[in-house]
Amino acid sequence: QVQLRESGGGLVQAGGSLRLSCAASGGTFSSYAMAWYRQAPGKDREFVAAIDWSATYTDYADSVKGRFTISRDNAKNTGYLQMNSLKPEDTADYYCAVGWGTGPGRYDYWGQGTQVTVSS
């Protein structure tokens, strides 16, 4: 059983940056693909970014390409989401997830989320 804990959310002005972290425990983080999803108030959860276990493959939602970067440090059992040039529409709860492959439905373990608010 893998436990995930997100951190790094907060309030930031438009154009600013935040780095989210996802700390894993209780499992072999280095074996799993990892993803970030987000859910804005009143909206469905949506995919943000994914990275495979070896960090050789990454994927991004069109809405964040060129602004967000997903990465991981397997030695630290931690994943990251660097978010630059933030926009008010990036406001959401952000969740990390891990599983045996990238792609929809492949993630078995989820964190509790961290809130990101971008003011205009």
Side-chain angles (χ1 to χ4, degrees):
Q1 188 81 8
V2 178
Q3 291 83 45
L4 303 173
R5 184 171 66 185
E6 303 92 339
S7 61
L11 173 64
V12 63
Q13 288 188 329
S17 298
L18 284 174
R19 187 175 83 154
L20 305 184
S21 297
C22 174
S25 61
T28 309
F29 176 74
S30 59
S31 298
Y32 292 107
M34 186 191 77
W36 288 92
Y37 281 73
R38 68 186 181 186
Q39 187 168 20
K43 295 188 176 182
D44 293 334
R45 188 170 59 190
E46 64 174 359
F47 168 77
V48 176
I51 187 169
D52 73 350
W53 68 274
S54 63
T56 56
Y57 169 83
T58 58
D59 188 25
Y60 296 92
D62 289 343
S63 59
V64 307
K65 279 181 182 176
R67 300 189 299 122
F68 290 11
T69 302
I70 189 171
S71 62
R72 65 191 299 159
D73 185 338
N74 287 340
K76 295 182 178 179
N77 291 331
T78 303
Y80 305 97
L81 185 68
Q82 177 67 43
M83 305 187 296
N84 299 329
S85 302
L86 282 161
K87 304 175 181 180
E89 51 263 44
D90 294 319
T91 295
D93 291 327
Y94 283 72
Y95 300 87
C96 67
V98 298
W100 291 110
T102 58
R106 301 296 300 273
Y107 303 104
D108 301 309
Y109 304 102
W110 293 79
Q112 295 298 307
T114 186
Q115 188 173 57
V116 172
T117 302
V118 184
S119 64
S120 57

